[in-house]
Amino acid sequence: ELVKVALSRVDPKIASLLPTTYIQLNKTSTLGSSYISLNNRSLAWLNKNGKCINDENLVQIRASANVSSEKGIFAARFISKGELIMPIPLYAYGEKEPENHPFCFHSPSSFLVLCSLTFQSFVSHRAAIDSSESATAKCNEGEEGGNAGNCQLGPNAVYQWSPWNPWNDVLMKKDSKEIIKMHATSLSFDLVAMHDIQEGEEISINYGVEWEAARKEYISTKSIQDDTLDTFRQPIRLPDEIVPSAWRIR
């Protein structure tokens, strides 16, 4: 207990993870330090209020048919328009994302860079819909990751602020520099189906024209023999309409 009190003066968050009784110590050794800091939830509560990040009955990870990705996320069953595919918990950085993080969001109007804490980096990029005859033909022939009867000419999913997460409303009112200091923000996006998605269809979003241009430039500097193409990193630009006014650079 003395160690916990002393540590709390330096780092209250770390101190909160330390047990103060023998019972807590015994449970912590079995269940982990989260036992101390998190509320215990019943299975009934989780079934009603919980959001599954990796639902194998909903999505599966396998080799991508999209040239911009090595792996992709595919629908394991029919997903209806507007249905939640997965939540995207976010970690906050200031202005520049970590070099090795594969899936981040940014806005030129804010200091914040928000990076996914889970495997959403496997959600592939697909540009805005191209309904031309040549694009349709390529898709039906499988050149664009499609197949006859399941042709995907544009993205089938979109990210948005999670309406079920109360922390989104709280933190959208705070200054972006304050959020950067928090790192683990409790902010989250939802990945939602833009239209009905058939079983076996690859999940994709539009990364935006900035991402496309940066990737083309990156590829142009690499040789065919170069095996470092998968190290390309470029944050996805957030649409201005979803960037809270409190986060904007003044």
Side-chain angles (χ1 to χ4, degrees), residues 109-249:
S109 63
S110 174
F111 292 115
L112 276 178
V113 174
L114 301 173
C115 297
S116 167
L117 287 170
T118 50
F119 64 90
Q120 281 76 22
S121 56
F122 294 140
V123 178
S124 63
H125 163 68
R126 196 169 291 275
I129 189 167
D130 179 359
S131 58
S132 65
E133 290 185 8
S134 59
T136 302
K138 286 183 179 180
C139 188
N140 284 327
E141 292 170 5
E143 294 182 31
E144 298 295 330
N147 52 65
N150 186 18
C151 189
Q152 191 177 333
L153 292 173
N156 54 18
V158 65
Y159 55 87
Q160 62 186 34
W161 290 112
S162 305
W164 50 268
N165 183 358
W167 281 105
N168 282 349
D169 293 332
V170 173
L171 296 175
M172 284 179 185
K173 298 173 184 176
K174 293 185 178 293
D175 183 86
S176 59
K177 293 182 180 179
E178 185 177 351
I179 296 174
I180 291 169
K181 294 178 181 179
M182 298 171 64
H183 291 306
T185 65
S186 298
L187 291 165
S188 66
F189 285 141
D190 280 352
L191 186 67
V192 176
M194 294 174 62
H195 53 71
D196 290 349
I197 300 175
Q198 304 301 319
E199 181 179 348
E201 189 175 339
E202 184 168 2
I203 309 298
S204 62
I205 63 174
N206 184 359
Y207 286 11
V209 294
E210 288 184 358
W211 185 93
E212 284 189 324
R215 181 171 174 79
K216 286 180 181 178
E217 181 179 357
Y218 179 84
I219 291 176
S220 69
T221 64
K222 301 294 179 180
S223 66
I224 296 176
Q225 291 78 23
D226 197 328
D227 62 356
T228 62
L229 283 178
D230 61 349
T231 64
F232 171 74
R233 299 290 183 265
Q234 174 72 19
I236 300 168
R237 178 169 177 168
L238 289 171
D240 290 338
E241 60 268 21
I242 74 170
V243 179
S245 57
W247 296 1
R248 297 180 186 275
I249 299 172

